[in-house]
Amino acid sequence: MTTLHDLHRPLGSTGLRVSPLGLGTVKLGRDQGVKYPNGFTIPDDAQALALLQQARELGINLIDTAPAYGVSEQRLGPLLRGQRDEWVIVSKTGEEFEQGQSHFDFSPAHTRLSVERSLKRLETDRIDLLLVHSDGNDLAVLRETGVYETLAELKREGKILAYGISGKTVEGGLLALQQGDCAMVTYNLSEQGEKPVLDYAASHAKGILIKKALASGHACLAEGVDPVRASFELIFGHPGVSSAIVGTITPAHLAANVATVAAVLRGIR
């Protein structure tokens, strides 16, 4: 069985070491308003537990969740009991998803409430990486709301170990890295506009997580080309990338993605 155990790498200069592939968990908590090509059924607890166990066995230690992912955090708390030190947990603040709709609140009061709530839901005393779940107005969110200042306070208090943004613009990503630890960036075969954020991270020892690595399941290329392999070759060909988050709930897809990432990183064809 191909695994990623020997391929963990630093998340910038945070002191955290992460697997090159992370497990996204939106599909554990929400099946409304998600941009996937096909519908899916939210896994039950037994299926979710098996998926998490498989991920650990495959060498994945990075798990990505958010308040906006429906009941993802609430489910992960009990599912990860007794395993806290085995995982690097990423969560977010700013976006809430209720009754099928997203709404945003980046105020200091909500940010603190959100993080404290995530700690309770996840049954943990600290969140390894806390990202601002941006609404797309990255610069305004970072400059005008106080969210980053609040996250800096929470880091000093030890409730979070690192912070950054899951943003949508180059300018926001650059500012987030200048003042914080990490940025989650869209970077795939069809969208590479945020590459300057990756370049900055590579030269300043900052962390980069890739979202939509496989274009939310829409990756496709010319006949005879493996789109998953090509996607990971692009992503890991950039020295700024720490890890790519993939949100599969299919065991076969998870194993195949791990094998592909391992092959790419080891330079095997």
Side-chain angles (χ1 to χ4, degrees):
M1 181 175 68
T2 304
T3 77
L4 302 172
H5 287 290
D6 62 335
L7 294 170
H8 290 197
R9 53 244 301 257
L11 181 65
S13 53
T14 62
L16 300 166
R17 288 187 67 81
V18 297
S19 49
L21 200 64
L23 183 65
T25 62
V26 65
K27 290 182 178 180
L28 294 187
R30 162 180 161 189
D31 58 4
Q32 295 175 285
V34 287
K35 299 169 184 173
Y36 293 101
N38 302 305
F40 63 92
T41 301
I42 294 176
D44 62 25
D45 282 353
Q47 292 168 324
L49 197 59
L51 188 75
L52 291 166
Q53 182 177 350
Q54 179 193 13
R56 279 182 67 192
E57 290 171 353
L58 290 170
I60 292 173
N61 77 334
L62 179 63
I63 194 159
D64 175 69
T65 185
Y69 293 173
V71 295
S72 174
E73 287 185 320
Q74 293 96 310
R75 296 190 71 196
L76 284 171
L79 290 168
L80 297 179
R81 278 179 195 155
Q83 306 173 39
R84 179 61 187 91
D85 293 338
E86 304 295 323
W87 295 97
V88 173
I89 295 179
V90 181
S91 194
K92 306 184 187 75
T93 186
E95 182 179 354
E96 302 286 326
F97 185 81
E98 296 168 333
Q99 296 168 340
Q101 297 290 323
S102 282
H103 63 91
F104 295 87
D105 187 342
F106 303 102
S107 67
H110 179 78
T111 301
R112 185 167 283 276
L113 178 151
S114 176
V115 172
E116 299 279 7
R117 185 185 61 192
S118 293
L119 289 167
K120 288 190 178 74
R121 288 174 171 176
L122 291 163
E123 300 184 7
T124 184
D125 61 346
R126 84 278 183 194
I127 294 169
D128 299 294
L129 175 65
L130 204 292
L131 299 175
V132 179
H133 216 161
S134 178
D135 61 359
N137 299 302
D138 298 349
L139 286 181
V141 168
L142 292 173
R143 288 174 173 167
E144 300 169 15
T145 65
V147 64
Y148 239 37
E149 292 80 357
T150 306
L151 292 180
E153 290 172 7
L154 289 161
K155 182 178 177 179
R156 286 193 291 271
E157 293 166 18
K159 292 177 179 176
I160 64 176
L161 303 187
Y163 64 93
I165 195 171
S166 175
K168 299 183 180 179
T169 66
V170 169
E171 298 78 11
L174 293 174
L175 181 61
L177 290 182
Q178 288 161 16
Q179 299 180 355
D181 304 300
C182 184
M184 183 178 277
V185 175
T186 298
Y187 189 66
N188 57 46
L189 292 171
S190 57
E191 294 181 81
Q192 295 158 40
E194 293 175 71
K195 182 176 175 290
V197 183
L198 278 63
D199 297 339
Y200 181 91
S203 59
H204 292 80
K206 299 289 185 173
I208 289 287
L209 301 181
I210 300 298
K211 57 184 172 180
K212 302 179 184 172
L214 304 178
S216 297
H218 296 273
C220 57
L221 272 177
E223 191 175 341
V225 177
D226 176 358
V228 175
R229 173 86 187 216
S231 296
F232 288 134
E233 285 177 341
L234 169 74
I235 289 165
F236 293 109
H238 196 292
V241 173
S242 308
S243 184
I245 307 297
V246 175
T248 186
I249 51 174
T250 306
H253 287 170
L254 187 62
N257 286 339
V258 164
T260 303
V261 168
V264 167
L265 289 174
R266 293 185 177 120
I268 301 167
R269 286 198 170 269

